[in-house]
Structures are given as C-alpha cells and as structure tokens.
Amino acid sequence: MSAPLRCDVLVIGGGPAGTATALALQARGIQALVAEKSRYESSHPGETLLGDAQPFLLSLGVWDRFVAGRSAQAAPLLSCWGDAEARPRPAELSPHGAGWHIDRKWFDRMLAGAAEDAGPLVYCGVRTGALERSASVWRTA
C-alpha cells in the first residue's frame, strides 16, 4: 500500500478552471493536487478563447506556451442578443483583440503540464470517491 498523498487543496476536475486554480494556488504557496477523470483525449471542436483571456494567461505564467502552441487568431465573433440578427463583437471592444481558435485537447494538456511544472500534481484517469472528514483532515478514496 502506498503512502497517502497530502496537499492543502484537492481540485476535482482538471479542465481550464481546475488547472488555473492549481496554478494560482501554487503561486501563493498553497500546494494543490488535481484529480481529472479524463486523460485529455476528447476533442472539443470549434473552441474559441476571447482576447480578454490574455491577462489571465499572463498571470498564470502560461502565455509563452499558449502563443507557441496550437491556436490561430479568430475573426470577430458574431452573437445574437435578444433577436435573431447576428452582430459582430468588435475586436476594438477588447484591448487584446478578437481572440483565438484553440485546439481544446492541446489547451487542456498545456495547462495541466504548466501546473505540474509549477508544482501541483495532476492525476489523470482518476475519479474521486466520497469525501470524509477526520478531525481537521479530509480524505477521499
């Protein structure tokens, strides 16, 4: 039997929100462990990341990885609000441009890799069991 893993925070779900949380916690000296049920094998066609995400990617320390990876500049997006007419979302509304079309499988893996490089462990292909509290310690199977 292996020794139990210890961390300050268990993040359940290793998508962009989970891995970004682990990176942000690590930057504050809080040790996180990420449990992700997939192995990042699923495709998510048609994913677009708005230009407004740039400051967040910079603050997480993954901007250089992102621009070196699988993304392409997106044309201004069209959206419908309150009626059937599609209107462009002008890139001028964001100082960071229209955004990028991303390979979501690559993007998720990139963020998980950045998290692991920074310190948090990312476990793929695992499902967490029930959580139990024992004194001040939480346990999961």
Side-chain angles (χ1 to χ4, degrees):
M1 183 170 161
S2 61
L5 296 171
R6 297 189 180 277
C7 61
D8 298 318
V9 176
L10 172 62
V11 178
I12 300 173
T19 51
T21 298
L23 279 163
L25 289 168
Q26 184 67 34
R28 289 161 180 77
I30 301 168
Q31 182 62 47
L33 185 147
V34 179
E36 167 57 30
K37 68 180 176 181
S38 79
R39 296 189 185 278
Y40 300 117
E41 67 272 12
S42 297
S43 294
H44 303 268
E47 293 276 344
T48 302
L49 188 64
L50 294 177
D52 297 338
Q54 182 182 359
F56 299 104
L57 297 174
L58 282 165
S59 71
L60 293 172
V62 299
W63 178 248
D64 290 338
R65 289 179 193 228
F66 177 73
V67 295
R70 298 180 187 166
S71 60
Q73 288 287 338
L77 301 175
L78 298 175
S79 59
C80 297
W81 292 96
D83 58 37
E85 185 180 347
R87 294 178 183 82
R89 179 184 186 268
E92 302 84 44
L93 292 180
S94 169
H96 309 290
W100 306 270
H101 296 296
I102 60 170
D103 175 338
R104 177 64 185 275
K105 184 172 21 176
W106 170 84
F107 185 70
D108 288 353
R109 286 179 177 164
M110 181 273 297
L111 286 173
E116 285 202 313
D117 290 348
L121 297 174
V122 178
Y123 283 89
C124 295
V126 298
R127 293 184 184 267
T128 56
L131 293 171
E132 297 176 4
R133 185 171 184 154
S134 173
S136 65
V137 176
W138 287 90
R139 299 178 195 276
T140 185

